[in-house]
Amino acid sequence: MGQVIAFDAGRGSPESLKPLLDLVATDMEAINRIILDKHVSDVELIPELAHHLIDSGGKRLRPMLALAACKLCGYSGTGHIRVASAIEFMHTATLLHDDVVDESGLRRGKQTARMLWGNQASVLVGDFLLGQAFRTLVDVGSLPVLRILSNAAAVIAEGEVMQLAAANNTTTTEDDYLAIINAKTAALFSAAAEVGAAISNRPAAEQAALKSYGRNLGLAFQLVDDALDYSGDSASLGKAIGDDFREGKITLPVILSFRRGSEEERQFWKRTIADGDLKDGDLEHAVALMKQHKALEATMERARSYGAIAHDALAIFPNRPEKSAMQDVIAFCVHRTH
Amino acid sequence: MGQVIAFDAGRGSPESLKPLLDLVATDMEAINRIILDKHVSDVELIPELAHHLIDSGGKRLRPMLALAACKLCGYSGTGHIRVASAIEFMHTATLLHDDVVDESGLRRGKQTARMLWGNQASVLVGDFLLGQAFRTLVDVGSLPVLRILSNAAAVIAEGEVMQLAAANNTTTTEDDYLAIINAKTAALFSAAAEVGAAISNRPAAEQAALKSYGRNLGLAFQLVDDALDYSGDSASLGKAIGDDFREGKITLPVILSFRRGSEEERQFWKRTIADGDLKDGDLEHAVALMKQHKALEATMERARSYGAIAHDALAIFPNRPEKSAMQDVIAFCVHRTH
């Protein structure tokens, strides 16, 4: 349990994130000041709970992507900092609610907010952060940006509801799964990249290209996440391996193993994933079946494929450091180990 | 238990709501079509769960106030319908999350969504409705309206967090309580009225007047709600009497009874409200203490006082049917029995 399967291990090292980190370093300092501002609310519990999560070493990928997209589009205003902060607020709100819905105990190696402050506070502080995100976006005053991000907020919630409805259902198809991760994860990556063109008033073709880049990057990111839940290293992941299995969550490794398996194996998946009747050794058996049917490799293969689409989506932009930094991020997302 | 205390009973009859209902009847049909549209989302569970609550006979006071304020300001566009729908979506999202936070079983005489579909779905569908509200507002395209309502969304959540932090705390002051209900309830009433002036580009004085009207009406509304929780009639309220008591919620009737009571009585409030150690007959004893100290009458007196401020706030507007309909609503809110 918890063993790392080497999918091109090494290539996914933090080096492929470095060009992006360097590109947006100054702006990210400004963003960190906004998202860690103790004065976000006078209600003490709000900054306390929000910062527990925000300050827990998340990668801040989404605001970084928004900043890089703004730079790629030659944006010269000052609104990008607040837009990127709002995106991180939206993401944090989603995580707070996800942890309540999934009854998660650990995130990024720390106890989840709901374990420390309860589900009630996590729900309400998530609501506050979503409101705060929109307040920040209204301040920036770009209706196209507001349109993209309000749409993302609704779509993300739709994806979470779809995921909830598919839970424990072993007949979920790969298409159903794609619709779920497209909404719950790819929508915000997509929106983060798209706002770069929208705030810079760039032509529709560039906005569509960034939207496609973000969407496919988000799909790749979530596919890897779902593979890591069965193959990652608990310590570097900062959460327990097999969480999805224990929650009966339907992800691609399960869908493929179920479809590629024997009738007897399907009974195993039904007992564990559908009925939640878990015994010692079930997780190890699930991982063994996934290896036997190359379900994790296939999941990673899909991730690489979406990554390639994301890469090509940026082709219409001139070769500039921003473009290559954004393309390097794809390798990071596909090859990361946590 | 569940007996109705007659505070000027009769005057608060539905008649005082009738002028408003007549004024906005046509627009409310359009709003009902929007908020009950089965196509709000393709994810089946979303309209199903949302409509369970939306269709359960709520008064739709907030969208009606927004419509009346638009009319009072002479608005001649078409955006008011969507703005008022968005306000009802926001309110519905709040109710879904409130019922999760309060672990409520009944609302408007029906089982709460969380009892039928679970807490998880209630949290996520609430998130969807908030996203949908902003999506609808962005469509209308008025940044001043977006500013007012995004601010309200954040403030409402702040109020709910404050209420959670004050739960079980018998030393909460009347000022603390006012700050809570100002945020959790009055903010949306206030925003609903204020958008009427904002969308019509009326002068700041009119916008401020409507904001003040809504705020004070919201305070009165919540004060009456809190009195009814100890004095209303269970059947017409559509929820159990004494919910606040059982949840250890600190409302003005408790604050006043605690402050006006003897040391022995304070021990009773500490045992019940602070420690949640409830015995048979405690609710009846609580109501008896409230009567003895005139805590319910005083709560209603405060409500009337805020109602009077709301009435005067509209003084700067000419005498038109919209104005008198909005003033009649004050009587409805103050004298209602459910």
Side-chain angles (χ1 to χ4, degrees), chain A residues 292-316:
Chain A
Q292 184 191 324
H293 295 296
K294 302 196 188 310
L296 295 170
E297 285 87 334
T299 299
M300 295 302 295
E301 188 46 58
R302 259 72 155 184
R304 277 190 288 272
S305 166
Y306 290 112
I309 301 176
H311 192 277
D312 287 331
L314 294 184
I316 63 164

Side-chain angles (χ1 to χ4, degrees), chain B residues 17 33 48 53 56 85 92 115 118 122 135 137 140 151 159 176 179 182 202 214 219 235 252 283 300 317:
Chain B
L17 191 58
R33 277 195 295 277
E48 199 179 320
L53 179 53
S56 67
S85 306
T92 307
M115 300 299 281
S122 293
R135 200 149 66 164
L137 291 170
V140 175
N151 190 52
D176 296 332
N182 199 22
R202 299 297 305 165
L219 292 175
L252 192 57
L283 176 59
M300 294 303 294
F317 290 96

